[in-house]
Amino acid sequence: MKKYLFLLLIVALLFLSSGQTYEQQSLIPKLKEWLPDRPLEGLLSTLQVPYWGRTISVESKGYYHFIEFLIRKGAHIVSFGALAAAIFAVLPKIRFRYLLAFALTVIAAVLDEYHQSLTGGRTPYLGDVALDAFGAALALSLIALLLKRNKMPKQKTAGIS
């Protein structure tokens, strides 16, 4: 039952998040409060991220907006990775379980971007679906590795005599 509640919680959080305007989600005031000395600004100034045909950087957006951008894009990876793991957990143990969990997560990502398009000041972007798919693939790969590792027989260490 817990795995269904976890799935429902993630879906609800994604739905609520994509239904908020950019201003409602803005982290800028908190970032200014938490990072007043702009840590790692020099290092971050060397990063440039291509996005929507533009280059996003500290120089183009400013320090706090760039940090927020990185957090938002990281949130796509983490949240859709968690969604993929939750979907995987509720699926029966069938042959194409990983593929089905991945496909359902990508469908959810597309629907999430569509829902976002209905929110004022927000636009859907296929690149975000790609980030979501990456998060799903990453999470499902980690699950596969962990499950494979747990199935491996334990090796006995030979005693030295």
Side-chain angles (χ1 to χ4, degrees):
M1 185 63 160
K2 288 180 186 178
K3 59 186 175 183
Y4 293 102
L5 289 174
F6 182 63
L7 175 60
L8 184 61
L9 176 67
I10 292 170
V11 170
L13 289 173
L14 288 171
F15 183 79
L16 290 172
S17 176
S18 65
Q20 291 181 324
T21 64
Y22 177 83
E23 290 76 22
Q24 289 172 313
Q25 288 185 338
S26 179
L27 300 171
I28 302 299
K30 286 293 180 195
L31 290 172
K32 287 180 178 180
E33 179 185 327
W34 294 335
L35 307 171
D37 297 329
R38 299 178 182 216
L40 304 175
E41 185 174 21
L43 178 66
L44 292 173
S45 294
T46 63
L47 289 178
Q48 295 185 352
V49 181
Y51 185 76
W52 254 44
R54 297 179 300 196
T55 299
I56 308 298
S57 65
V58 170
E59 183 180 343
S60 69
K61 299 294 274 182
Y63 176 78
Y64 294 109
H65 286 277
F66 186 65
I67 295 286
E68 181 184 53
F69 172 80
L70 294 176
I71 291 169
R72 285 175 177 265
K73 298 310 149 190
H76 273 274
I77 294 167
V78 171
S79 59
F80 280 88
L83 179 61
I87 291 171
F88 180 83
V90 300
L91 288 175
K93 294 179 181 179
I94 56 175
R95 183 175 183 180
F96 296 106
R97 187 177 176 195
Y98 289 97
L99 185 59
L100 183 57
F102 179 78
L104 290 172
T105 304
V106 171
I107 290 168
V110 170
L111 293 173
D112 184 64
E113 289 298 310
Y114 173 73
H115 179 241
Q116 183 176 303
S117 76
L118 304 175
T119 303
R122 303 279 302 270
T123 53
Y125 180 51
L126 196 56
D128 287 344
V129 175
L131 281 175
D132 301 338
F134 173 74
L138 183 63
L140 293 168
S141 296
L142 289 173
I143 289 169
L145 286 171
L146 289 172
L147 291 177
K148 185 176 181 178
R149 183 175 172 245
N150 288 341
K151 285 184 182 178
M152 292 176 66
K154 305 283 184 210
Q155 294 182 1
K156 294 182 180 179
T157 55
I160 300 176
S161 43

